[in-house]
Amino acid sequence: MTDSPERDERHLARMLRKKAVIDERIANSPNECGLLLVLTGNGKGKSSSAFGMLARAMGHGMQCGVVQFIKGRNSTGEELFFRRFPEQVRFHVMGEGFTWETQDRQRDIAAAEAAWAVSRQLLQDPGIGLVVLDELNIALKHGYLDLDQVLSDLQARPPMQHVVVTGRGAKPELIEMGDTVTEMGMLKHAFQAGIKAQKGVEL
């Protein structure tokens, strides 16, 4: 690729215009508040993104809480890692495993209700800066929890507390309430090629 002074000048002019637009938007967005982030869709990366935000919050010295609703039968890398910091992260694995493994709806409902009881404690604690509700969307999708109660508890949380909700099939009402909503799309997945879940990637 060849470069030229003219190309460099055009690039500089574009970046100056872009910076001016972004600086103006930042100046017009002075508010700070606790955010509700919803990560959904069929693509990989929802929980991975949530745990990345957890690490980021910890880096800022924030107290954090995690409740995993569905996962639970096998330890994951994120659980093994974040449990090293009990003074900063309350990590609760409350699931009974994926629904196709448990095959017992009443058992799954009981597990989800117990998990939500723990979640409510975190959501009522103003000392917790970030709460990750991993796979909550799955519990709501299958009707294991009362949606109105969940939305009410999320709405009533401390004003500066951030919450990240993950899982496929997010309810429209939760999407509407969310401040930032991301839908992960899948283009390819190694499992489709017969490759099982790998440590450090999915586990």
Side-chain angles (χ1 to χ4, degrees):
M1 183 173 67
T2 59
D3 292 322
S4 67
E6 293 79 10
R7 182 173 185 178
D8 291 343
E9 289 175 6
R10 290 196 302 271
H11 175 79
L12 175 60
R14 282 197 307 272
M15 293 304 106
L16 287 171
R17 289 194 300 270
K18 185 172 185 178
K19 176 174 170 47
V21 170
I22 292 174
D23 286 349
E24 182 179 3
R25 291 185 67 182
I26 292 172
N28 292 328
S29 304
N31 299 325
E32 291 186 6
C33 64
L35 300 177
L36 174 60
L37 299 97
V38 181
L39 307 177
T40 191
N42 293 330
K44 173 180 162 43
K46 298 177 288 295
S47 295
S48 301
S49 176
F51 287 113
M53 283 184 267
L54 177 61
R56 179 179 291 158
M58 291 174 63
H60 287 290
M62 295 167 65
Q63 292 292 311
C64 305
V66 177
V67 180
Q68 292 192 296
F69 279 79
I70 302 298
K71 301 164 185 173
R73 183 163 292 184
N74 299 308
S75 293
T76 59
E78 57 263 24
E79 178 190 355
L80 294 171
F81 178 76
F82 287 111
R83 282 198 186 279
R84 299 176 187 175
F85 308 95
E87 73 287 351
Q88 199 172 358
V89 182
R90 304 182 200 175
F91 205 110
H92 303 275
V93 180
M94 306 290 293
E96 293 279 348
F98 291 106
T99 53
W100 61 85
E101 292 174 338
T102 61
Q103 302 177 12
D104 186 334
R105 187 169 185 274
Q106 292 306 315
R107 178 175 155 186
D108 290 337
I109 290 173
E113 289 176 343
W116 190 249
V118 173
S119 301
R120 291 185 77 184
Q121 294 177 8
L122 296 174
L123 293 170
Q124 293 170 355
D125 186 344
I128 303 292
L130 176 73
V131 178
V132 175
L133 302 175
D134 192 34
E135 305 291 0
L136 172 60
N137 287 335
I138 301 297
L140 292 172
K141 175 183 175 182
H142 289 296
Y144 297 162
L145 295 170
D146 181 81
L147 176 61
D148 289 338
Q149 183 65 62
V150 169
L151 296 177
S152 176
D153 290 340
L154 288 171
Q155 192 71 45
R157 73 188 191 275
M160 291 305 296
Q161 186 182 79
H162 305 301
V163 178
V164 186
V165 176
T166 75
R168 300 182 181 201
K171 290 287 188 178
E173 296 88 344
L174 185 61
I175 291 173
E176 177 65 25
M177 180 181 286
D179 297 292
T180 298
V181 180
T182 300
E183 183 173 15
M184 307 285 189
M186 183 176 68
L187 300 181
K188 291 176 67 176
H189 197 294
F191 186 66
Q192 295 172 324
I195 301 172
K196 67 179 183 179
Q198 305 288 299
K199 288 182 178 180
V201 180
E202 287 93 8
L203 302 176

